[in-house]
Amino acid sequence: MTVITEHSTPALSAQDIPQEAFDWYDEYAHGDIDRRTFLSRLGSLSIAGLTLPVVAGALLPNYALAEQVSFNDADIHASYLEFDSPNGHGRGRGYLVVPKGVSAENKAPAVLVAHENRGLNPYIEDVARRLAKAGFIAFAPDALFPLGGYPGNDDEGRAMQKTLDGNKIEGDFMDAARLLKQHPYSTGKVGMVGFCFGGYLTNTLAATMPETIAAAAPYYGTPAKSHLEQIKGPLQLHFAELDKRVNATWPAYEEALKAHNVTYTAYVYSNANHGFHNDSTARYQEKNAELAWSRTLEFFNNNLAS
């Protein structure tokens, strides 16, 4: 059981943005303050050489930046799939990406991808494509499907997701995990990765579905609320050093994992903010994000192999 702190310099795109701005964006992104308050606070900063529109534009998502693997990459096949969700909203929909050459005769392990608190946005779809490019069947459900799906912008998506029953969202993802385990192209080995709210879902499914989730990699996610004693698969947890909100939950979570003899490794990335893996905003840190992702792929390769 290991906790490792990485040391690196902040991403160049974030060097001139005060830490307060990142902290306020985190409050805004998690619904603690509204957009008007967020922009008002940004306007109160004295930032040499940078205007409010420049700073706000750097912090707010630009999904044109969040495509590392093209949707029509020749090595993958991407499509949308609806599925039954009796434990959730009755019916779900997600983004399924299958590596080239994978079939009922040539199976592959699968990874469930859990989005943030705003629905299935382009960044999360790209994460699914990255997993398929690495050889995994990837499935990224959209919690907003009962309301028509991700609306095309994060503000509206965040507001929509807040209206949904959290237990039913968890049920949708649980049924999606079962779908992956039983998929005709799947080896039956299922991992899970999630970011922010999706990190919480990843921790939760690892605890509530130990026979299904064979390996879990939550990024800056809060702990599962119960059943930690049931976790069987290993955890690989990724934290941002400057993420005070989530990091405050880690000491008690770690003690519980130790008490239940759960196998885990936790990485803390120096000078990183919550969301450092998301390449659509200035919170992104390329070096830390690539390091974390390489570890995640190695983790899944080691634990989901047949």
Side-chain angles (χ1 to χ4, degrees):
M1 299 178 182
T2 310
V3 177
I4 301 170
T5 300
E6 299 300 333
H7 296 280
S8 65
T9 57
L12 290 176
S13 59
Q15 280 184 336
D16 297 320
I17 299 177
Q19 182 58 39
E20 297 100 310
F22 289 106
D23 295 339
W24 295 335
Y25 178 75
D26 188 68
E27 290 183 65
Y28 162 65
H30 293 91
D32 296 327
I33 59 174
D34 60 22
R35 185 184 182 92
R36 182 176 181 178
T37 302
F38 168 60
L39 294 177
S40 175
R41 288 184 182 181
L42 287 185
S44 72
L45 292 174
S46 176
I47 307 173
L50 295 178
T51 64
L52 172 59
V54 170
V55 178
L59 289 170
L60 296 171
N62 177 4
Y63 287 123
L65 303 175
E67 184 179 81
Q68 295 187 20
V69 179
S70 172
F71 71 93
N72 58 5
D73 189 292
D75 292 333
I76 62 173
H77 178 265
S79 61
Y80 293 93
L81 175 69
E82 291 191 20
F83 61 98
D84 290 329
S85 183
N87 294 292
H89 288 92
R91 192 75 177 161
R93 183 176 186 259
Y95 188 60
L96 179 69
V97 195
V98 180
K100 181 180 179 181
V102 170
S103 66
E105 292 73 36
N106 184 35
K107 299 176 186 288
V111 177
L112 185 67
V113 184
H115 59 67
E116 305 136 313
N117 66 336
R118 61 213 70 169
L120 181 60
N121 59 38
Y123 156 64
I124 296 297
E125 290 190 343
D126 194 65
V127 169
R129 293 194 294 270
R130 296 175 208 175
L131 284 162
K133 187 80 171 175
F136 301 96
I137 299 168
F139 190 51
D142 186 357
L144 301 185
F145 177 68
L147 302 177
Y150 176 70
N153 71 84
D154 281 14
D155 276 348
E156 189 177 346
R158 187 181 302 111
M160 290 167 64
Q161 190 161 320
K162 285 178 70 174
T163 70
L164 291 170
D165 183 329
N167 291 326
K168 288 187 176 181
I169 293 177
E170 291 176 19
D172 288 335
F173 277 81
M174 292 172 70
D175 287 328
R178 294 185 183 98
L179 178 152
L180 278 184
K181 188 173 180 65
Q182 298 164 5
H183 193 282
Y185 292 1
S186 169
T187 61
K189 287 292 189 70
V190 179
M192 186 170 180
V193 62
F195 306 86
C196 185
F197 172 75
Y200 160 75
L201 286 178
T202 302
N203 283 320
T204 297
L205 266 63
T208 56
M209 304 183 73
E211 303 298 335
T212 299
I213 304 300
Y219 279 64
Y220 26 85
T222 53
K225 297 173 183 175
S226 61
H227 303 303
L228 300 184
E229 73 283 355
Q230 296 183 168
I231 299 174
K232 291 185 178 180
L235 302 179
Q236 185 185 82
L237 307 104
H238 301 273
F239 296 100
E241 182 184 35
L242 303 178
D243 186 4
K244 297 177 182 178
R245 179 181 55 85
V246 171
N247 293 352
T249 69
W250 172 235
Y253 188 22
E254 183 176 30
E255 286 304 311
L257 295 177
K258 289 179 177 178
H260 297 302
N261 296 312
V262 176
T263 299
Y264 74 90
T265 301
Y267 295 102
V268 181
Y269 296 86
S270 180
N271 297 316
N273 279 287
H274 184 96
F276 72 87
H277 185 267
N278 186 332
D279 49 0
S280 70
T281 82
R283 298 187 298 174
Y284 175 61
Q285 288 192 340
E286 183 177 7
K287 182 177 179 181
N288 278 333
E290 290 185 353
L291 177 58
W293 191 243
S294 68
R295 286 169 168 161
T296 299
L297 294 179
E298 182 180 15
F299 174 69
F300 287 146
N301 278 318
N302 290 340
N303 291 285
L304 301 180
S306 299

